[in-house]
Amino acid sequence: MTTLLLARFGLEGFVHDLTFPGRITGAVLLAVSFTTLVGAAAILDHCTRQSFPYSGLVALIGAFAALVTNAMLLVQTVKNGDSATYPVLFAVLTAGSACAVFAVWRTSVAIPAPKRVAAALIVSSVIAIANFGYQNLYQPFQRQTRPLITLSMGKAVLSKDRTAFAVPVDITLQNRSDVGFYVLGTEFHAMGKKVPLSSKDRLRQQWRTDAEQWRSPSGVNPLSRREMNQPGEMVEAQPWMPYGQWVESNDTFATRVVVQLPTDTPYDQVALYATASLARKDRLVLQPPLDFVAYSWGKGKVPRWVKEQQKTGLDSLVYRARVHENNAIDERTRDPRFVTVYWRFSTHGASVQTSIGRKGEEDRIAPPEEARDLVSRYGLVDLIAGPVERTLWDIKSQR
């Protein structure tokens, strides 16, 4: 049983795992699988004909390798797995391997150079455990990488009748790391702001009132002696990169959007924002396509918390796709996961939110610690650029 199970996990990991440590883990599992197969044959020879003088030693090594590997896989499936079948199976195999080690040891196995054999077993076991723990238990994501979004505004252009103007905006996504990223969702939005000027210096209490608005991200305006900043209003919003695409390592994606406004617009400033929700390609496999599922205002099934947000004026478009784990062990022992992307918009702006979970658990809101583990496991990254602001007085004056 150990031979068959390890061969299955090892072959899938060696061929399909997304990281080099994962491929090494697959190769180790294949090697242990072969060792346990030879050990099983050695046990039969040791207990019957004893035609091979060192069959007892080979049997002991095979049983010990099975014990260590089954114990590590038991810890892995208990820690990260969802199915109860695999923990029970590996618990039985661990107990059986321990009994096999004890049974072979009791036969007074002849061990040539016992200190060298013990040293070889200890060193190989430590290396195997360290590699396995590094890849599957500790999950060391210390090499964090974040692409960069840049926004730049071009020169505004007036229409022929001089009643409207257009501002070109260049959006660039630069991935200077050695890791590729899936693009789960993007959004660009422009906010118009009215900023009338006071005829005299504003009082200290008015500054305090402005500072109290900083509790809300959308209400962060500078404390000014004369400016009277008002809440911004959304002028335009749109995605700027196709969903489900990816940006490879050391690659750049660039696009241009155009914001158009009438010359007599009541706004004094325009603020531009661009965001993107990404996932590392070495942490998951995104199974295409990333399909549209429902509108928050339609008849499709959406989570209750999305419906509650809609009551406050925040509408959402919902997209979903299947994701696969980055290693064969988790892929076999965990329930299927899906990524859900919420493209949200209201009169106060737009944003993209993503979550990964089992199907049917969209209503569940993960606690903070679980949410952090989810972000770390799947390499989720949220990028934000902006605000990039510009006054409109020069444009509005060109009649």
Side-chain angles (χ1 to χ4, degrees), residues 84-320:
T85 303
Y86 281 101
V88 171
L89 177 58
F90 283 116
V92 171
L93 291 178
T94 301
S97 301
C99 293
V101 171
F102 181 71
V104 175
W105 179 262
R106 287 187 61 187
T107 61
S108 300
V109 176
I111 303 178
K115 292 184 178 180
R116 294 183 180 179
V117 173
L121 289 176
I122 292 173
V123 171
S124 61
S125 299
V126 169
I127 294 175
I129 293 173
N131 176 76
F132 187 84
Y134 181 90
Q135 170 66 15
N136 298 291
L137 302 181
Y138 175 56
Q139 294 181 347
F141 299 145
Q142 71 276 17
R143 293 184 62 191
Q144 297 292 342
T145 58
R146 294 180 64 86
L148 177 67
I149 298 177
T150 56
L151 282 171
S152 62
M153 282 188 284
K155 183 179 179 180
V157 179
L158 284 170
S159 62
K160 289 185 178 181
D161 57 6
R162 308 183 74 82
T163 61
F165 63 93
V167 180
V169 181
D170 292 317
I171 307 174
T172 304
L173 175 62
Q174 297 176 314
N175 180 19
R176 298 173 180 174
S177 69
D178 56 357
V179 177
F181 286 84
Y182 290 108
V183 179
L184 304 179
T186 62
E187 66 84 17
F188 162 82
H189 70 275
M191 302 290 290
K193 295 175 61 178
K194 299 177 183 178
V195 191
L197 297 178
S198 173
S199 59
K200 58 183 180 180
D201 288 352
R202 303 173 70 237
L203 300 177
R204 182 180 181 184
Q205 183 57 45
Q206 292 174 312
W207 286 24
R208 290 176 176 177
T209 302
D210 290 344
E212 290 174 358
Q213 306 304 315
W214 290 359
R215 294 175 296 178
S216 171
S218 61
V220 178
N221 293 309
L223 303 182
S224 174
R225 186 173 296 276
R226 292 296 180 97
E227 292 180 357
M228 296 181 292
N229 287 275
Q230 299 179 10
E233 299 176 348
M234 190 173 73
V235 173
E236 184 172 320
Q238 60 179 296
W240 51 271
M241 191 172 181
Y243 296 164
Q245 299 297 313
W246 54 85
V247 178
E248 295 293 355
S249 60
N250 299 305
D251 196 5
T252 300
F253 174 85
T255 187
R256 170 174 285 189
V257 298
V258 178
V259 179
Q260 300 186 75
L261 288 169
T263 307
D264 59 354
T265 179
Y267 304 120
D268 299 306
Q269 296 179 5
V270 62
L272 308 178
Y273 300 81
T275 64
S277 182
L278 314 176
R280 290 178 52 154
K281 291 184 68 177
D282 61 342
R283 305 286 178 81
L284 57 80
V285 176
L286 182 66
Q287 178 177 310
L290 184 56
D291 281 333
F292 169 78
V293 177
Y295 306 103
S296 61
W297 61 90
K299 296 181 179 180
K301 185 179 179 181
V302 296
R304 288 192 299 270
W305 60 269
V306 175
K307 287 291 187 183
E308 292 297 324
Q309 288 181 342
Q310 189 185 359
K311 295 178 182 179
T312 63
L314 187 61
D315 294 321
S316 300
L317 288 77
V318 185
Y319 301 82
R320 185 172 295 124

